[in-house]
Amino acid sequence: MMPAADSWRQPDRRFVVCGPASPRDIHDLMDRPFFALGKMPRHEPIRHRSGYSEVHVVSSGDAGLATLMDADVLLWLAGQLRGALNEGQWISRHVRFTPWRLFQDLGWDAGAHQYRRLRGALARLAATMVMTNIRNGPDWRERPFAWVSDVRISRDDGVALTLPDWFLAAITEPTRVLTVHPAYFHMGNGIGRWLYRFARRRVGRQKGQWLFDFTELHGRSGTLMQRYDFALALGKIVRAQSLPGYHLSTCLRHGTDYLRIEATTPSTGPVEKPVEPLVAKTVERHVGTDTVVSLGRSKNHYVTHCSRRRTASRNFLTYKYNIIGSSTKGIFRDNFDPSGQGKKEAREAVADRGAGVP
């Protein structure tokens, strides 16, 4: 018999991890900047707004914000709890587990350095405070939460901790969680990890090719990198084709550079929440910004024009060399709407509709 949807709210019981499970990710976390991307400590808060959703993340500790590498622990716990629910078991936000089980499921090599890595991750997750209006109501600023709390580590009992209600509420809804490719946990690049989660959330395993504006990706990542460096990082990922389950390329459409993402692993079942197949024409004309940088010709087969019309090819991946000596102030610059208002409204509309352009 399936337990009640809110059975995990009983505060005096603890869920004990006792078997393997596939990690799961949560929709709400996958295309918004809830975590720092780099391995170096980040103390600057994250403040992101897209459409009607807002995310504020701050750190109360010296170690800085929790990173995407630290979030592996949350994804593993989400898989354990979701797996238990699928088996009709009772769960709780109070969890206990032995580190070796986490190491085995995520492919970490057991050793003293992995225990130090786990301790550091738990410390940053506990010190990171999150405020968001996503599923939190109008008083969301008064409802901050840490990713984990009441963390205790001992030789006999392993790790005991408490997860926030916000996290558990998402796990109890099957449509809010997605499986994660095992290769993701071996990716060491923060931008690559973020891009995989974005693609998994926005593209999933749907057929077709989906385009995403570079500027929109930069904003949604929450990175401290300049757009120039962020674009370079994307270029390296495209050349390496390092996203498991996806093929990447770049293209030019209406003067704007886009990242094209195509799933290489087809869906084995119906798509629960498909990407919006079309963006309104008024939005399509204004989404993102037009680049004025000379990107030059390229022989790279990952770079094409989105349009079939024969036009002079400009390649985002080679602009690093063409920009040297240029007086251009940035790689992305508005030249169709000086006020930027049209761009802002269009971005919010695209964010609300999934940001996918076929």
Side-chain angles (χ1 to χ4, degrees):
M1 181 177 178
M2 193 70 177
D6 59 350
S7 62
W8 53 268
R9 294 184 184 278
Q10 300 179 39
D12 58 343
R13 301 181 67 178
R14 186 173 295 278
F15 175 81
V16 180
V17 173
C18 57
S22 299
R24 301 287 206 284
D25 211 339
I26 296 177
H27 275 194
D28 298 328
L29 302 180
M30 299 175 76
D31 61 351
R32 297 179 178 90
F34 281 92
F35 301 97
L37 302 186
K39 295 180 181 179
M40 299 297 293
R42 170 173 173 169
H43 299 280
E44 183 173 336
I46 298 174
R47 301 188 184 277
H48 176 75
R49 180 177 182 180
S50 178
Y52 298 103
S53 66
E54 290 193 51
V55 176
H56 296 178
V57 186
V58 299
S59 175
S60 59
D62 295 335
L65 299 177
T67 69
L68 275 182
M69 302 289 284
D70 302 333
D72 288 359
V73 178
L74 297 179
L75 271 58
W76 179 73
L77 289 173
Q80 288 287 345
L81 295 169
R82 185 64 249 175
L85 282 177
N86 292 342
E87 295 294 329
Q89 301 176 19
W90 178 91
I91 66 171
S92 169
R93 69 192 188 99
H94 307 288
V95 181
R96 189 174 75 223
F97 64 90
T98 54
W100 70 265
R101 170 57 64 188
L102 179 146
F103 299 161
Q104 187 174 49
D105 287 354
L106 296 185
W108 293 11
D109 296 328
H113 64 292
Q114 300 295 13
Y115 281 90
R116 289 193 295 269
R117 174 182 173 182
L118 177 60
R119 286 178 177 272
L122 293 174
R124 284 184 290 273
L125 290 168
T128 298
M129 302 301 297
V130 181
M131 292 178 289
T132 179
N133 64 351
I134 301 171
R135 296 185 287 107
N136 252 352
D139 59 341
W140 59 276
R141 289 183 175 84
E142 301 173 5
R143 303 175 64 182
F145 60 87
W147 292 119
V148 298
S149 58
D150 301 325
V151 179
R152 298 186 298 277
I153 304 175
S154 67
R155 183 180 298 274
D156 296 330
D157 297 330
V159 178
L161 54 82
T162 298
L163 295 164
D165 284 344
W166 187 92
F167 190 81
L168 263 290
I171 293 174
T172 57
E173 299 182 34
T175 58
R176 289 187 179 273
V177 294
L178 289 172
T179 56
V180 182
H181 197 289
Y184 167 83
F185 298 99
H186 299 284
M187 297 175 66
N189 182 283
I191 298 294
R193 279 180 166 239
W194 177 85
L195 188 58
Y196 168 81
R197 298 174 79 224
F198 180 89
R200 184 72 181 92
R201 166 68 177 88
R202 290 292 177 178
V203 178
R205 295 171 180 171
Q206 299 176 91
K207 296 180 180 179
Q209 300 177 343
W210 303 89
L211 306 181
F212 299 94
D213 175 17
F214 282 26
T215 306
E216 184 72 21
L217 291 173
H218 178 265
R220 281 183 172 270
S221 71
T223 181
L224 294 177
M225 299 171 66
Q226 297 295 321
R227 282 178 288 186
Y228 174 91
D229 297 320
F230 180 78
L232 287 180
L234 286 185
K236 292 180 180 178
I237 295 171
V238 171
R239 290 193 296 271
Q241 292 296 310
S242 55
L243 251 62
Y246 296 96
H247 181 270
L248 306 177
S249 58
T250 61
C251 66
L252 184 68
R253 183 174 190 174
H254 304 307
T256 300
D257 285 298
Y258 288 88
L259 179 67
R260 181 195 284 121
I261 305 178
E262 181 179 9
T264 57
T265 304
S267 176
T268 56
V271 178
E272 295 173 352
K273 191 174 182 182
V275 173
E276 186 71 28
L278 287 175
V279 175
K281 291 184 178 180
T282 55
V283 174
E284 183 180 334
R285 288 199 302 268
H286 295 93
V287 60
T289 56
D290 288 349
T291 177
V292 295
V293 175
S294 174
L295 302 182
R297 296 181 178 273
S298 172
K299 296 180 180 179
N300 191 311
H301 66 279
Y302 295 125
V303 183
T304 62
H305 260 265
C306 300
S307 172
R308 294 183 179 180
R309 294 177 300 174
R310 294 180 60 84
T311 53
S313 176
R314 296 193 301 168
N315 180 358
F316 144 79
L317 296 179
T318 60
Y319 78 87
K320 175 180 178 181
Y321 306 102
N322 298 325
I323 200 171
I324 299 175
S326 171
S327 60
T328 305
K329 296 181 180 179
I331 66 169
F332 302 98
R333 184 167 62 184
D334 299 338
N335 58 8
F336 60 90
D337 183 5
S339 67
Q341 184 62 29
K343 177 188 68 176
K344 179 180 179 182
E345 294 175 355
R347 278 192 189 172
E348 292 183 354
V350 171
D352 291 340
R353 299 188 60 170
V357 184

